[in-house]
Amino acid sequence: MSDKTYTLRDNSTGDELELQSKSGSIGPDVVDVRPVYAKQDIFTFDPGFSSTASCESAITYIDGDKGILLYRGYPVEQLADKSSYIEVCYLLLHGELPTAAQLEGFSHSIRTHTMINESMLRFFNGFHHDAHPMAMVGGVVSSMSAFYHDTLDINNPRHRQIFAHRIIAKMPTIAAAAYKHTLGQPFVYPDNDLDYSSNLMRMFFGVPAEDYRIDPVAAEAIDLLLILHADHEQNCSTSTVRLAGSSGTNPYSAVASGIAALWGPAHGGANEAVLRMLEEIGTVDNVDKYVNKAKDKNDPFRLMGFGHRVYKNHDPRATIIRKMCYRVLDNLGQQDNPLFDLALQLEQIALKDEYFVERQLYPNVDFYSGIIYKALGIPSSMFTVMFAVARAVGWVSHWQEMIEDPDSRIGRPRQLYMGSGPRDYQAITERS
Ligand code: ACO
């Protein structure tokens, strides 16, 4: 607790309630409003939770005004530059960077959990050939609780660890199976000699008839995107995982609910929507028209990949991804990539426009990621799946933190009821 107090005063009765604030290690204090309902019989009202801290967490810190993102205290720029996705997974799960031996042990465990049960693989045959990959991935992850019911005791730390390793290891395999199903190509089994991102690429793009050559720049770009999407504190999908998990449901079901939340275009679905938008805009000549559409209150169109609930300066992830775009396109000999040129132009115009400046709307993580994915041959329907693969570790880390928190309770918000008061049932013949 900090020593600051706030007074909530009911002006009609003069009743006062003293509320204590709590300090985090960095960042704004919070006012502990838990006594409000018990003592004053009122609720706080915060649709969209823009002023509400739902939990204590030690995993990720964001300063949206300064454009700072820290995983367990480490700036994301340093991790993007020096670390690997697997090391970042260890960091998020355990709170510290691993020693060489710890990293080897963790990496070995992830590599040896990559296969999925053959019965699970057969599920994919039941999906229509044009099913959206997110629908397949959500369904199959949910089904994992039907395969691993011997390790579903959420109060058993060893079970929790096995779950964490299984989800992280199998997400690329499930994603690749969904992709291969949409292509009608044979599934490519994981190769446990490869690192996480190279293995993912081989499962996506390899075919049994040929050897697959891994492009090191492409694998590095995938690894970077996985690092940058690995966690983002209490975002919509992570809060969904926490809320579902707070009931004590099994963790595979909680993660499946996170996948469902991620799919929406206001969240992880934005990367797919950005590419659709850039393709619709088509040429630089149309940029002004679409910027005007985005500003028009009567037009539902929004600049996808722009704006963020928390970042009001810049999204550090977007800056890093934009830099990687140049490297990937250069490596592929696509220096004149029309979609990238269009995105750069759109960013320049929007950043100078009063509407976007006033509302502090900047490119977010999804604005440039799709350009890399597309250049690497990943279709837009798979973009959000890639996000889900990366974010799995964030969901698992938050779920674990919640389960291990002795103060954790079932998540159960209240409401401001605006419906009818009590009334008597009328027989159908008496209704007008
Ligand atoms: N284009 C045009 N106007 C926008 C945009 C945009 N992309 N984003 C916000 N605005 C405007 C709103 O119309 C509103 O204007 P007003 O004050 O005149 O009414 C103002 O900016 C504030 O917007 P809100 O929707 O209230 O902001 P909120 O914090 O609720 O939403 C969100 C954030 C959902 C990310 C929003 O900016 C958006 O829809 N962006 C496009 C979708 C997107 O890129 N999502 C990915 C987010 S990152 C992630 O989840 C990984």
Side-chain angles (χ1 to χ4, degrees), residues 266-267 270 297 302-307 309 355 359 361 364:
H267 190 14
K297 286 275 151 243
R302 279 189 166 199
L303 274 195
M304 298 313 287
F306 256 78
R309 171 61 61 82
Y355 173 94
R359 290 168 180 75
L361 301 170
N364 60 47

Side-chain angles (χ1 to χ4, degrees), residues 391-407:
R391 186 54 60 84
V393 68
W395 294 328
V396 172
S397 305
H398 282 270
W399 175 81
Q400 284 203 155
E401 186 179 64
M402 182 199 62
I403 295 292
E404 287 164 16
D405 178 355
D407 289 338

Side-chain angles (χ1 to χ4, degrees), residues 42-52 414-418:
I42 54 169
F43 296 133
T44 57
F45 184 62
D46 185 20
F49 309 120
S50 35
S51 292
T52 297
R414 301 304 299 263
Q415 62 174 9
L416 177 63
Y417 177 68
M418 302 294 274

Side-chain angles (χ1 to χ4, degrees), residues 283-316:
T283 66
V284 170
D285 300 342
N286 287 330
V287 166
D288 282 341
K289 181 176 135 200
Y290 279 87
V291 167
N292 287 333
K293 267 166 79 65
K295 287 156 49 174
D296 181 355
K297 286 275 151 243
N298 300 316
D299 190 325
F301 177 79
R302 279 189 166 199
L303 274 195
M304 298 313 287
F306 256 78
H308 198 276
R309 171 61 61 82
V310 182
Y311 292 116
K312 300 299 171 198
N313 180 314
H314 73 278
D315 181 338

